[in-house]
Amino acid sequence: MRTWKIIFAGIKSLALHKLRSVLSILGIVFGVAAVVAMLSIGEGARQEALEQIELLGTNNITIHALALTESQIMEAKKNLSSGLTATDASRLVEICPGISFIAPLKIINIESTYENRESLAPVVGTTPDYPAVRNVSVDKGRFITLLDIEENKRVCVLGADVAKTFFPVDSPLGSMIRLGSDWYNVIGVLQKKAVTRKSRATRDGQRATGSITPRNINNDIYIPLSVSVLVSPTRGSEIAVDEIGIRINEANKVQESANIIKTILTRLHNKVQDYEIIVPVELLRQSQSTQRIFNIVLGAIAGISLLTGGIGIMNIMLATVSERTKEIGIRAALGATRLDILFQFLIETLLLTVAGGIIGILLGIFGAYTINIYAEWRTVVSFTAIIIASLMSAIVGLLFGLLPAYKAARMDPIAALRFE
Amino acid sequence: MAEVHALSNISFVVERGEFIAIMGPSGSGKSTLMHILGCLDRPTSGSYYLDNSDVTALSNKELSIIRNHRIGFVFQSYNLIFQLNVIENVEVPLIYNRMSLNYDSGMDKCLKAIRAVGLNERLRHRPSELSGGEMQRVAIARALVNDPLIILADEPTGNLDSKTGEEIMGILKGLNDEGRTVIVVTHDEKVASHANRTIKLKDGSILVDSRQ
């Protein structure tokens, strides 16, 4: 009951100076709000990156062909590199251990039509390993086989979304669709695979350099690699490809294999950087270390804002203590011990910072929500963020409340009673 | 620099139930004596026995507890806490009472003390809404709430007109009649006339100690 009385008296004293109390906690409010909002942005970014990396497959390594500038092409020719080719893929299988599946992709931009329906779905030439590389199974029919490739068969396998566009009702198997100027027999449909918002937006094969967004497998039309070469011939004898997907059999060998692949490709391409290697595991590590840096910067900013907030509150409380010297004297005369006085002013500071913390958390949650709506960043208000924010506001209260409370408790009751 | 002693060679015994007036010009050591009797200060030498036990060497915390349980203060300038209303002001000593009370019996004690000073109607008023006499009544009620051995009043009528001052002295006299020890510090002969013993101080020593 005593504690409640003291807390109640604290609320009463604070309510006496409403404007002052509100102004004094603004620093804490914004500090805590910033912490909550930024932690939410960080958590959202982390989850998004994690999802994308998981979608790429942590067992996977992807090699992209890079578009070269005119001068780079000259340089490449001089060094006898013919870009990323199907030969690279076959050499990698021969030399690098641990590769379970490998599939080169050749992306050709041709129109596809079925009856009166048209689609801009990318047409991708590949090999039988591709579903295994991307860990997707065939929903209906079958995937491209070695025989299809050897015999240059005009067959195609549809991604789930494409299949839906062309064949909303009946089964696509056995139907003939037109890709560019040729007719292809639909032999299979792939299972639908979850994709992130970003890769859903990637409609064609183009992608920004360094992007870790995986292909939207649901929106591709797959044909035998050999056929795609016939449709879109490349200069020279090599089969130029846009991408090589690789799946490593053991998760803990991925980094090792990636290093070997890098070495092999450097040699095969005579040190010309006309490709990039994306290792999701590596990206995961990078994103984790970026996250760590982000957290440190965030922590520093939050610390500084809470520090200034705390100093503001301490200032107000010091003023309050000297303003209420007489009250302290009275309470001491009536039997309050030094600890009672210390407790009273500490409670008042704590009430201020905790109130500031609560308002700050609410404001932070609102801020995170607003950022999500208007900036379309994913924000996740985690329980941890709220706990951290609450703890910090309480710690600030204790830390910065201690000096004013100590000053109050140390007063000589006789001198305090004489104070006017 | 020579030490200045506000009081020296002071020795007297107060019996339970006495009504004592301590008088003297300013600088005579009245306030210091009052602070020592009220356990707000300690003598540099000598001892003070309260209720037959030596309290001279007690710690700050122990003195606080004694002030709370045994002593009721009444000040010249009332010394109410201005943000609290009448009941809450009277309740303050109960908050610091180590013997835990539940809310209801605490409330009863407050109301009983307020009734004893004849101030039943203004329970929720702030001190700023009360007259000087009413404020001093609240202060007396506050002094009574923990049922103390001694009421120590420091110029209780100093800020009041003579009529109201008489009323306040009447209340203190009434408390004395109920058996409580009352010590009043004053320089007003009329106030002192209510007491049955007068101690006059001069330059830190007792000049006269007379019983009526």
Side-chain angles (χ1 to χ4, degrees):
Chain A
M1 181 204 145
R2 268 185 65 203
T3 314
W4 281 111
K5 283 274 170 205
I6 292 174
I7 291 172
F8 181 71
I11 293 172
K12 210 157 174 172
S13 308
L14 295 175
L16 208 65
H17 301 284
K18 288 191 192 68
L19 184 66
R20 181 203 281 185
S21 302
V22 168
L23 289 178
S24 69
I25 61 172
L26 277 185
I28 298 280
V29 169
F30 291 129
V32 168
V35 170
V36 171
M38 287 167 91
L39 281 177
S40 310
I41 294 171
E43 180 64 17
R46 195 183 68 85
Q47 286 191 8
E48 196 143 293
L50 214 65
E51 270 174 29
Q52 268 185 23
I53 289 161
E54 264 165 22
L55 219 64
L56 279 170
T58 39
N59 274 30
N60 282 26
I61 296 170
T62 308
I63 306 161
H64 283 296
L66 287 181
L68 298 181
T69 61
E70 211 56 43
S71 59
Q72 280 173 319
I73 290 172
M74 299 290 281
E75 177 79 14
K77 273 191 182 147
K78 209 160 68 192
N79 284 310
L80 301 170
S81 169
S82 39
L84 200 61
T85 61
T87 318
D88 287 333
S90 42
R91 294 298 299 274
L92 285 176
V93 183
E94 284 165 23
I95 305 169
C96 180
I99 296 179
S100 357
F101 302 104
I102 188 162
L105 299 185
K106 182 172 171 63
I107 298 153
I108 44 185
N109 283 313
I110 50 176
E111 214 168 73
S112 47
T113 43
Y114 174 70
E115 292 180 343
N116 53 356
R117 300 189 190 100
E118 283 181 20
S119 168
L120 284 170
V123 176
V124 180
T126 189
T127 58
D129 270 1
Y130 192 62
V133 168
R134 287 297 301 274
N135 200 18
V136 65
S137 51
V138 180
D139 188 30
K140 295 183 199 117
R142 59 174 180 89
F143 200 72
I144 295 157
T145 59
L146 275 177
L147 200 69
D148 295 330
I149 292 174
E150 276 166 22
E151 298 183 353
N152 293 337
K153 278 192 183 161
R154 303 295 161 119
V155 293
C156 69
V157 176
L158 305 181
D161 287 347
V162 187
K164 205 140 204 185
T165 317
F166 284 148
F167 305 95
V169 191
D170 35 301
S171 169
L173 295 185
S175 303
M176 299 297 283
I177 68 169
R178 215 174 91 161
L179 303 178
S181 51
D182 297 320
W183 291 92
Y184 290 74
N185 187 9
V186 179
I187 55 166
V189 176
L190 290 181
Q191 208 148 45
K192 193 167 173 73
K193 203 177 178 197
V195 288
T196 60
R197 201 177 54 220
K198 274 184 191 161
S199 60
R200 223 174 291 134
T202 346
R203 288 190 55 93
D204 52 343
Q206 303 298 315
R207 64 187 66 236
T209 305
S211 158
I212 61 163
T213 316
R215 293 195 63 75
N216 183 353
I217 207 165
N218 301 327
N219 196 38
D220 280 340
I221 298 172
Y222 296 98
I223 60 174
L225 183 66
S226 51
V227 178
S228 70
V229 176
L230 295 176
V231 172
S232 163
T234 43
R235 287 167 284 181
S237 54
E238 302 274 4
I239 301 170
V241 296
D242 297 283
E243 190 177 315
I244 298 173
I246 299 166
R247 188 172 182 85
I248 307 297
N249 52 13
E250 278 174 76
N252 54 1
K253 292 269 172 63
V254 173
Q255 192 58 64
E256 196 185 323
S257 303
N259 293 337
I260 297 171
I261 289 169
K262 277 174 197 164
T263 318
I264 296 169
L265 283 181
T266 311
R267 208 174 306 147
L268 287 177
H269 288 234
N270 294 323
K271 291 183 184 163
V272 177
Q273 278 295 320
D274 45 11
Y275 58 90
E276 63 169 343
I277 302 175
I278 293 170
V279 188
V281 175
E282 220 167 68
L283 293 173
L284 190 66
R285 230 187 331 265
Q286 274 166 17
S287 102
Q288 276 162 353
S289 75
T290 315
Q291 188 71 29
R292 238 189 324 272
I293 293 168
F294 183 75
N295 283 344
I296 289 168
V297 172
L298 176 84
I301 292 171
I304 291 167
S305 72
L306 283 173
L307 184 77
T308 41
I311 291 171
I313 285 194
M314 182 167 72
N315 218 350
I316 293 291
M317 286 311 291
L318 281 172
T320 302
V321 164
S322 57
E323 193 183 272
R324 285 162 67 186
T325 302
K326 182 98 180 179
E327 181 193 327
I328 293 164
I330 297 168
R331 288 183 185 272
L334 298 180
T337 60
R338 289 187 166 184
L339 210 62
D340 287 327
I341 303 281
L342 184 96
F343 189 54
Q344 181 189 342
F345 283 93
L346 203 55
I347 288 262
E348 279 188 30
T349 317
L350 265 177
L351 279 171
L352 278 177
T353 56
V354 167
I358 291 168
I359 299 171
I361 287 170
L362 294 178
L363 202 66
I365 292 172
F366 176 74
Y369 178 75
T370 314
I371 289 167
N372 189 338
I373 299 287
Y374 291 100
E376 291 192 348
W377 292 355
R378 187 193 300 192
T379 53
V380 177
V381 180
S382 63
F383 189 62
T384 327
I386 289 173
I387 294 291
I388 288 176
S390 322
L391 272 182
M392 281 201 295
S393 57
I395 288 170
V396 165
L398 275 179
L399 221 61
F400 291 98
L402 220 48
L403 179 66
Y406 177 71
K407 238 188 117 188
R410 222 190 36 186
M411 282 181 184
D412 172 31
I414 297 171
L417 270 174
R418 284 211 188 99
F419 182 85
E420 285 304 330
Chain B
M1 217 166 79
E3 274 184 51
V4 178
H5 295 284
L7 296 170
S8 60
N9 285 323
I10 281 215
S11 179
F12 64 97
V13 175
V14 177
E15 300 291 338
R16 197 173 280 230
E18 278 191 302
F19 191 153
I20 300 178
I22 296 173
M23 299 189 68
S26 54
S28 59
K30 288 187 313 248
S31 296
T32 308
L33 181 57
M34 174 92 177
H35 290 150
I36 289 172
L37 292 178
C39 292
L40 279 166
D41 208 349
R42 296 185 188 88
T44 35
S45 63
S47 352
Y48 171 30
Y49 283 81
L50 178 66
D51 200 19
N52 293 323
S53 62
D54 189 0
V55 297
T56 324
L58 294 184
S59 68
N60 282 330
K61 188 182 172 182
E62 288 165 319
L63 288 181
S64 296
I65 295 171
I66 286 178
R67 285 199 296 275
N68 186 260
H69 291 183
R70 307 275 182 92
I71 295 164
F73 283 99
V74 178
F75 302 95
Q76 177 175 2
S77 52
Y78 328 123
N79 283 352
L80 300 178
I81 297 172
F82 75 99
Q83 70 264 33
L84 305 180
N85 65 28
V86 169
I87 286 199
E88 289 164 345
N89 262 293
V90 173
E91 199 186 14
V92 171
L94 287 178
I95 294 176
Y96 302 120
N97 195 320
R98 305 286 129 175
M99 294 171 229
S100 64
L101 287 164
N102 61 43
Y103 186 77
D104 288 336
S105 72
M107 227 13 151
D108 283 349
K109 281 192 170 193
C110 291
L111 292 174
K112 204 177 129 208
I114 292 169
R115 228 175 290 126
V117 297
L119 200 83
N120 303 345
E121 275 147 35
R122 307 209 148 182
L123 302 182
R124 303 284 166 193
H125 286 241
R126 290 272 185 86
S128 56
E129 296 158 345
L130 300 176
S131 71
E134 286 169 329
M135 283 198 268
Q136 199 58 296
R137 283 165 197 256
V138 176
I140 295 172
R142 182 177 68 183
L144 282 176
V145 76
N146 267 333
D147 194 20
L149 275 179
I150 311 173
I151 303 275
L152 275 179
D154 186 2
E155 301 275 10
T157 60
N159 285 8
L160 302 172
D161 59 73
S162 55
K163 185 174 160 284
T164 323
E166 278 303 305
E167 283 171 23
I168 294 298
M169 287 316 292
I171 293 171
L172 289 176
K173 186 79 190 125
L175 293 174
N176 177 243
D177 291 342
E178 287 169 17
R180 230 176 279 273
T181 312
V182 178
I183 300 175
V184 178
V185 172
T186 185
H187 55 255
D188 186 344
E189 289 287 350
K190 239 168 76 189
V191 169
S193 69
H194 290 270
N196 45 35
R197 178 179 172 191
T198 307
I199 295 174
K200 287 191 172 154
L201 294 180
K202 199 181 179 222
D203 298 331
S205 305
I206 295 181
L207 198 69
V208 185
D209 183 349
S210 64
R211 281 169 217 263
Q212 285 135 21

